[in-house]
Amino acid sequence: MIGIQYVVTTIFFFLAAGLLAMLMRAELARPGMQFVGNQVFNELFSVHAALMIFLFIIPAFAGLGNFVIPLMIGAPDMAFPRLNALSFWLLPMAGLMMLSSFFVPGFGCGWTGYAPLCSTHQELGAVFFNMGVQWAGASSIMTALNFLVTIITMRAPGMTFWRMPLLVWANFTTSLLVVIATPFIAGSQFMTMFDHVMHTNFFNYEAHGYVLGYQHIFWFYSHPAVYIMMLPGFGIASEVISTFARKPIFGYRLMALSLMAILVLGFSVWAHHMFVSGMAPWLRVPMMVTSVVIAVPTGIKVFSWLATLWEGKLSFRTPMLFALGFVSMFVIGGLSGIYLAAVPIDIDVSDTYFVVAHIHYVLFGGSLFTIFAGIYYWFPKMTGRMYNEQLGKLHFWLTFIGFNATFFPMHYLGIQGMPRRVSDYAPRFADLNFFISIASFFLGASTLVFLYNMIVSWARGEPAPANPWRAMTIEWQVSSPPPVFNFDEVPQVVGGPYEYGVPGARHAVFGDRVAEEEEVRSR
Amino acid sequence: MSVEAGHAAHPPVAHQSSRVDARTLGMFLFIASEVMLFGSFFTAYFFVRVVNHQPWPPSPFHLPVFVAFVNTCILVTSSFTMHWALQSIKRGNRAGMQAGLTLTFLMGVTFLLTQLLEYARIGFTPHDQAFGTIFFCLTGLHGAHVFVGLTILAAMTTRAFRGHFSPEAHNGVEIGGIYWHFVDVMWIVVFTTVYIL
Ligand SMILES: [Cu+2]
């Protein structure tokens, strides 16, 4: 099953990128230079971000979706299985490309690859990054196309759009974003690469190129990319929270519509990354306003999760813990995001650790927590075995504490003016940085619990029942693991996906049972 | 795998939940992402020409508008022959389809060769200011798409001569044709913005 291959591969890159982060924290444990030089430090944070974003978060969601979405909509497979295999195999290529950039004169201009620093003034490693992004981008476009066609043309009878689980909605929206936005980063990487390799003049000031153009084109993808890395997580959180609160999602339709609103608004905010870039000043305020407006649909989602939890019969299994951790951490990340959207604050804390803290609350506390929630939630379905609940909970608490201890102090460091992406710092930041480094090693060690749990449980965990969580969506109505082609027969969808606590409600039924129930009704 | 014996040899037939054919939809989505790729290069064009106020073309360079116009006519005509090929096979006219596809292919090759000749004699290179860069990258990106289209056309034409496709099953011609029309329409946009405006 390609979905599982995806998840395993991306976890490999997650570990690699995590190790790079720990090397960085080792260097930053004390002021002055310790282990690595400036250039190597630059390479560490550049490749750390590139791997986490392009080789872990985006494809990890694609992998989970690959496994779950056909099951959820009652399709035997993705629409184009061979295309699916191709988009998987592009990933290891992209990842190896990024990792091997260390061995040529490396890639050290940050994952944003700004021109002209990363075009005319860079070493060969930058080209490795350019190409790695192209492969990963092509992979994600093909996967998105596959998701869209699958969701549109292969839904089970009765599965109307308003009966689709929110994870399917989330991946539908994300895939639209990918198809529309990802070509822009492809374009931007072609341009910097051409400027570098063929000495063209896209971003060459002397030859009348438009230097800021790179940032505009890049962020026109990379802001929507934030939602590419977030919306599937929203979907996972909705599934998990509804199941473990035993309640229907509050405002299901509004949840789906707010995804669409985020999709549209997401294209109108890119220049909030460029407030200090020297771009046209009149662009600042409109971009600030649209950025703040996005908080509305996002807030709708947060309140809807809270309302779903309200008076629910909560069961705190590991997926639920991670989903709740996600909601709380994402609120912090979202709030610091609103701060950053405000032009004056952004100008003050631009390029400081405040930004580092914000991005990690969004991508670690947000995306990564939902990826963990998703992995634990569907682990029984994927492997046919149960994971160890105690170890899962231990993993959650270690991660939650380690994460906050590592990244929360960074807000303070940033406000105090400590710049990001620098290997050395003023002695007055020393104590806090030492604390952060210790916390980050603690956080790194917590991953070992996860790995141990996954490997041992996959090998010798208890066999999983078909529906350990008593969930209603279709993937839980087949055996664990599912049959080779997901179903022996395509199910019939008869109701909404989250009718928990509604007497007699069903989401989907299988052939013989359809006849049975009709008989019952006719009597 | 805990699959019980007796099933799983064949996948169950997926329910067709939309009237749109999956491969046609896939092609349209692919084209949408291609349009956006062109969009990123047009954005670069916009920055250089509109935001930076660069003369287009800057002296002493000239754009061979007439040659490009003739080339445009060839490509537009090839879209019509493509359409003719599809209509022919829908009506069961195999010879018409074969002729239509062959003509389309030949016109595509002519277009690409003319463009290469134009590149050789145009008098500036991709290094000549941002203008040269944008000119070569926009037309070159389009040329790459013509090349891909020609590859698809070659496969379609070969299949047509081997007896594939019928009035009932002409999806291959239809989907390849959609791509070819896209390449054609994209050229009209490139031609207008780069040569005419
Ligand atoms: Cu943004």
Side-chain angles (χ1 to χ4, degrees):
Chain A
M1 298 227 104
I2 288 180
I4 299 173
Q5 287 178 319
Y6 252 105
V7 175
V8 172
T9 312
T10 55
I11 286 178
F12 168 78
F13 288 115
F14 165 64
L15 296 176
L19 285 175
L20 298 181
M22 284 161 74
L23 284 175
M24 258 187 285
R25 281 320 312 181
E27 172 60 45
L28 288 169
R30 331 192 79 237
M33 304 305 288
Q34 269 72 241
F35 307 102
V36 298
N38 280 324
Q39 173 63 20
V40 175
F41 186 82
N42 293 348
E43 292 167 18
L44 286 177
F45 69 70
S46 305
V47 179
H48 162 73
L51 284 181
M52 282 292 190
I53 291 170
F54 297 113
L55 272 308
F56 174 57
I57 297 180
I58 295 176
F61 281 134
L64 286 170
N66 232 296
F67 179 83
V68 181
I69 285 176
L71 280 166
M72 276 186 160
I73 61 172
D77 198 350
M78 297 280 279
F80 307 113
R82 271 180 289 181
L83 189 70
N84 207 16
L86 176 62
S87 42
F88 167 71
W89 283 107
L90 284 177
L91 282 179
M93 272 167 66
L96 292 180
M97 201 112 203
M98 302 240 186
L99 276 175
S100 51
S101 75
F102 281 108
F103 302 109
V104 296
F107 159 63
C109 42
W111 78 276
T112 47
Y114 275 6
L117 175 64
C118 209
S119 55
T120 34
H121 302 288
Q122 255 299 323
E123 308 271 18
L124 188 57
V127 178
F128 280 56
F129 168 76
N130 295 149
M131 288 313 297
V133 172
Q134 300 293 27
W135 294 126
S139 156
S140 93
I141 291 178
M142 289 190 287
T143 311
L145 194 153
N146 221 336
F147 278 149
L148 288 171
V149 175
T150 310
I151 294 170
I152 292 174
T153 65
M154 291 171 74
R155 279 167 290 128
M159 179 64 92
T160 59
F161 264 70
W162 291 119
R163 280 177 179 169
M164 293 196 312
L166 284 171
L167 180 77
V168 181
W169 267 106
N171 272 279
F172 184 78
T173 326
T174 308
S175 301
L176 281 174
L177 271 173
V178 169
V179 166
I180 300 169
T182 307
F184 259 67
I185 196 176
S188 72
Q189 298 310 307
F190 275 131
M191 292 172 203
T192 38
M193 194 170 75
F194 290 166
D195 272 11
H196 186 169
V197 180
M198 308 199 297
H199 307 290
T200 55
N201 299 315
F202 279 107
F203 309 119
N204 180 356
Y205 178 75
E206 282 93 40
H208 312 295
Y210 190 70
V211 184
L212 266 187
Y214 177 82
Q215 296 186 31
H216 280 292
I217 297 173
F218 176 83
W219 286 114
F220 190 74
Y221 160 77
S222 290
H223 185 82
V226 174
Y227 300 114
I228 294 170
M229 294 186 269
M230 210 54 260
L231 300 188
F234 288 174
I236 293 172
S238 301
E239 300 300 324
V240 170
I241 287 176
S242 176
T243 303
F244 290 100
R246 312 304 306 163
K247 274 185 63 191
I249 281 285
F250 180 86
Y252 164 83
R253 287 193 181 209
L254 204 57
M255 285 293 255
L257 289 175
S258 58
L259 286 169
M260 286 294 168
I262 292 175
L263 161 85
V264 176
L265 285 172
F267 281 107
S268 63
V269 302
W270 75 93
H272 64 208
H273 296 271
M274 301 167 60
F275 287 153
V276 295
S277 68
M279 67 169 183
W282 60 264
L283 207 50
R284 281 178 170 175
V285 170
M287 288 291 165
M288 172 172 91
V289 172
T290 48
S291 304
V292 174
V293 168
I294 289 202
V296 175
T298 319
I300 288 177
K301 301 199 76 78
V302 171
F303 283 113
S304 162
W305 289 317
L306 295 180
T308 307
L309 291 168
W310 188 259
E311 295 197 327
K313 290 198 188 67
L314 306 191
S315 110
F316 294 99
R317 309 294 291 261
T318 312
M320 181 64 155
L321 288 176
F322 272 105
L324 295 177
F326 150 74
V327 175
S328 49
M329 294 303 99
F330 181 73
V331 166
I332 299 180
L335 287 178
S336 62
I338 297 177
Y339 280 63
L340 285 170
V343 179
I345 300 177
D346 182 80
I347 290 174
D348 189 45
V349 295
S350 205
D351 282 310
T352 68
Y353 266 81
F354 192 84
V355 178
V356 179
H358 164 69
I359 198 70
H360 285 91
Y361 268 85
V362 174
L363 293 187
F364 193 131
S367 310
L368 181 54
F369 274 36
T370 59
I371 290 173
F372 278 140
I375 290 177
Y376 281 109
Y377 185 63
W378 285 295
F379 184 85
K381 188 53 65 182
M382 288 179 163
T383 62
R385 293 180 185 275
M386 296 302 289
Y387 61 85
N388 182 314
E389 191 66 50
Q390 271 72 41
L391 285 177
K393 285 182 178 162
L394 179 68
H395 171 223
F396 169 75
W397 285 110
L398 293 181
T399 308
F400 188 78
I401 294 165
F403 164 73
N404 278 295
T406 305
F407 294 106
F408 200 79
M410 288 186 184
H411 289 112
Y412 179 74
L413 279 179
I415 292 170
Q416 292 298 307
M418 179 171 161
R420 64 172 183 163
R421 291 181 170 180
V422 182
S423 53
D424 190 6
Y425 50 85
R428 66 192 167 103
F429 301 126
D431 291 344
L432 211 44
N433 268 293
F434 187 68
F435 174 78
I436 290 175
S437 287
I438 300 289
S440 76
F441 293 136
F442 178 80
L443 179 59
S446 75
T447 310
L448 297 176
V449 181
F450 167 72
L451 286 179
Y452 176 82
N453 193 357
M454 292 294 110
I455 293 168
V456 173
S457 305
W458 199 344
R460 336 186 212 112
E462 262 176 64
N467 191 356
W469 316 128
R470 296 184 297 129
M472 293 189 84
T473 43
I474 302 178
E475 81 270 28
W476 300 107
Q477 318 309 325
V478 297
S479 60
S480 299
V484 178
F485 294 109
N486 285 353
F487 303 100
D488 301 325
E489 52 177 326
V490 169
Q492 169 89 36
V493 178
V494 292
Y498 305 114
E499 310 284 296
Y500 295 108
V502 180
R506 314 203 56 141
H507 176 48
V509 289
F510 285 88
D512 42 348
R513 221 175 279 147
V514 177
E516 235 169 72
E517 290 200 352
E518 258 158 29
E519 209 175 291
V520 172
R521 226 172 284 144
S522 63
R523 255 184 248 154
Chain B
M1 287 278 196
S2 66
V3 180
E4 293 142 61
H7 41 78
H10 297 285
V13 181
H15 175 246
Q16 175 81 33
S17 57
S18 162
R19 269 169 297 162
V20 191
D21 169 63
R23 289 188 301 161
T24 313
L25 180 64
M27 180 49 92
F28 275 116
L29 289 168
F30 177 64
I31 287 175
S33 79
E34 292 279 64
V35 168
M36 292 307 287
L37 181 63
F38 273 97
S40 70
F41 280 85
F42 277 118
T43 312
Y45 162 91
F46 170 84
F47 283 136
V48 169
R49 194 163 172 192
V50 180
V51 182
N52 266 358
H53 299 295
Q54 284 305 299
W56 197 272
S59 60
F61 306 130
H62 289 285
L63 288 172
V65 181
F66 180 71
V67 180
F69 176 73
V70 174
N71 223 3
T72 309
C73 295
I74 294 174
L75 202 61
V76 171
T77 317
S78 80
S79 237
F80 283 102
T81 51
M82 182 72 234
H83 186 68
W84 176 48
L86 178 63
Q87 293 308 317
S88 301
I89 191 61
K90 276 187 181 166
R91 275 181 267 124
N93 176 359
R94 178 160 298 278
M97 169 184 67
Q98 288 164 343
L101 287 177
T102 315
L103 277 174
T104 312
F105 180 78
L106 289 177
M107 280 188 270
V109 172
T110 315
F111 175 87
L112 209 54
L113 289 179
T114 315
Q115 204 184 23
L116 287 176
L117 259 166
E118 188 189 314
Y119 278 0
R121 297 183 184 178
I122 204 160
F124 55 86
T125 67
H127 314 295
D128 285 309
Q129 304 189 4
F131 158 77
T133 299
I134 304 275
F135 172 84
F136 275 97
C137 284
L138 264 178
T139 54
L141 180 69
H142 179 265
H145 282 78
V146 176
F147 184 79
V148 172
L150 282 175
T151 317
I152 298 174
L153 263 173
M156 268 158 53
T157 317
T158 320
R159 286 183 65 189
F161 277 96
R162 283 197 184 154
H164 292 216
F165 308 125
S166 66
E168 296 76 38
H170 51 263
N171 237 333
V173 185
E174 191 154 357
I175 292 168
I178 294 171
Y179 187 78
W180 191 253
H181 294 314
F182 153 70
V183 168
D184 191 11
V185 171
M186 210 64 225
W187 173 252
I188 294 174
V189 181
V190 173
F191 177 67
T192 318
T193 45
V194 172
Y195 289 87
I196 306 274
L197 287 179

